[in-house]
């Protein structure tokens, strides 16, 4: 009960609807298209409107929650909830990592791999869930849509939370292995941004059907 992981307990049931989730974190290349289409301000590590050299397939970082929301509005998607994010890694069973119950060295881009920065999405072949979702345990941590609060039944004393705190999920190249567990959750303010925090997107099945009906999305199966 006094563990540093108190906010991961107690175990409880949670229901998610049918949804799709991005198999990769949003890349610099994808985010650059959004910037060029909308005129949105570039991340602080870019030179004017130019991304770092050879960074096209790296995950986008240094983005606030508001930045993610504007990207999602442009792309007709949304951030996953923390429940959807965890489901995408655990695939309906209890396990601590995308690959199984036990930690494996160098399976994810975390502090111990000593890459000292994000790498191209999908370049860690073991950091892959059975649903085909990459980089959930490492590379960069990810924004979710969820407001941060204690789980139902958790009685641990906690500071007063408010709607400006969002749940961040996933390990990162800068983080210790204990943060690479699928159940790990952290809280940050909406205006927070960092070199090890990015995002991936999701969309409900019903929302996809509606976009197809409106002719905003082609039902090609691509």
């Amino acid at each position: 009960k006094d563990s540093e992981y108190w906010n991961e307990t107690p175990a409880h049931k949670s229901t998610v609807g049918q949804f799709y989730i991005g198999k990769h974190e949003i890349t610099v290349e994808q985010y650059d298209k959004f910037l060029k289409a909308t005129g949105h301000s570039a991340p602080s590590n870019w030179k004017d409107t130019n991304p770092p050299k050879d960074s096209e397939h790296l995950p986008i970082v240094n983005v606030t929650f508001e930045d993610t929301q504007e990207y999602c509005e442009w792309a007709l998607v949304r951030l996953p909830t923390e429940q959807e994010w965890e489901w995408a890694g655990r695939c309906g069973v209890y396990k601590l990592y995308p690959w199984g119950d036990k930690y494996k060295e160098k399976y994810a881009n975390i502090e111990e791999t000593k890459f000292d920065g994000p790498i191209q999405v999908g370049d860690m072949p073991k950091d892959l869930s059975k649903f085909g979702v990459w980089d959930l345990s490492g590379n960069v941590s990810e924004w979710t849509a969820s407001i941060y609060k204690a789980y139902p039944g958790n009685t641990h004393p906690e500071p007063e939370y408010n709607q400006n705190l969002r749940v961040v999920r996933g390990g990162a190249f800068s983080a210790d292995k204990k943060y690479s567990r699928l159940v790990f959750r952290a809280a940050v303010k909406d205006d927070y941004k960092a070199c090890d925090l990015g995002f991936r997107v999701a969309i409900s099945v019903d929302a996809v059907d509606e976009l197809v009906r409106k002719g905003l999305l082609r039902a090609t199966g691509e």
Side-chain angles (χ1 to χ4, degrees), residues 169-219:
R169 287 296 199 119
F173 68 86
S174 58
D176 184 85
K177 63 183 181 181
K178 64 185 178 182
Y179 302 119
S180 67
R181 297 169 301 112
L182 291 172
V183 294
F184 171 73
R185 57 201 301 256
V188 298
K189 292 183 177 181
D190 284 3
D191 60 357
Y192 180 77
K193 57 184 176 180
C195 66
D196 58 1
L197 176 60
F199 69 107
R200 76 179 69 228
V201 298
I203 189 171
S204 68
V205 171
D206 288 344
V208 171
D209 292 342
E210 181 67 9
L211 289 174
V212 172
R213 187 184 67 79
K214 292 180 176 180
L216 299 175
L217 187 72
R218 293 181 299 162

Side-chain angles (χ1 to χ4, degrees), residues 6-210:
W6 66 268
N7 70 347
E8 300 170 9
T9 62
H12 61 285
K13 292 183 178 181
S14 183
T15 301
V16 297
Q18 292 182 314
F19 69 98
Y20 299 102
I21 191 169
K23 64 180 182 178
H24 296 302
E25 296 152 338
I26 293 298
T27 64
V28 169
E29 182 177 44
Q30 291 171 305
Y31 201 77
D32 189 33
K33 291 179 181 178
F34 155 66
L35 297 188
K36 286 182 169 57
T38 64
H40 189 79
S41 58
S44 56
N45 62 315
W46 291 30
K47 186 176 181 180
D48 297 323
T49 59
N50 300 312
K53 185 179 179 181
D54 299 325
S55 64
E56 293 88 351
H57 302 298
L58 300 181
I60 189 66
V61 294
N62 288 307
V63 289
T64 65
F65 181 78
E66 181 181 356
D67 291 329
T68 71
Q69 295 304 283
E70 295 198 24
Y71 177 91
C72 287
E73 182 179 357
W74 171 76
L76 303 177
V77 290
R78 60 174 173 80
L79 290 180
T81 65
E82 66 168 320
Q83 292 86 359
E84 290 171 335
W85 190 97
E86 188 172 325
W87 176 265
R90 291 172 54 179
C91 308
V93 299
Y94 181 79
K95 57 181 179 177
L96 289 178
Y97 307 93
W99 54 83
D101 292 327
K102 295 183 179 180
Y103 175 75
K104 301 287 186 179
E105 290 188 357
K106 298 183 179 179
Y107 268 38
N109 179 21
I110 59 174
E111 187 179 44
E112 71 166 20
T113 61
K114 302 186 185 304
F115 287 131
D116 298 323
I119 60 175
Q120 291 190 24
V121 297
D123 265 11
M124 299 298 286
K126 299 296 187 179
D127 193 359
L128 176 67
S129 81
K130 289 185 178 180
F131 286 160
V133 185
W134 298 78
D135 298 322
L136 293 169
S137 276
N139 218 16
V140 296
S141 298
E142 302 171 20
W143 286 102
T144 75
S146 297
I147 296 171
Y148 186 81
K149 56 186 178 180
Y151 283 151
N154 190 307
T155 59
H156 190 285
E158 59 180 344
E160 182 180 351
Y161 292 124
N162 58 63
Q163 293 188 4
N164 290 325
L165 290 176
R166 298 282 170 173
V167 176
V168 166
R169 287 296 199 119
F173 68 86
S174 58
D176 184 85
K177 63 183 181 181
K178 64 185 178 182
Y179 302 119
S180 67
R181 297 169 301 112
L182 291 172
V183 294
F184 171 73
R185 57 201 301 256
V188 298
K189 292 183 177 181
D190 284 3
D191 60 357
Y192 180 77
K193 57 184 176 180
C195 66
D196 58 1
L197 176 60
F199 69 107
R200 76 179 69 228
V201 298
I203 189 171
S204 68
V205 171
D206 288 344
V208 171
D209 292 342
E210 181 67 9

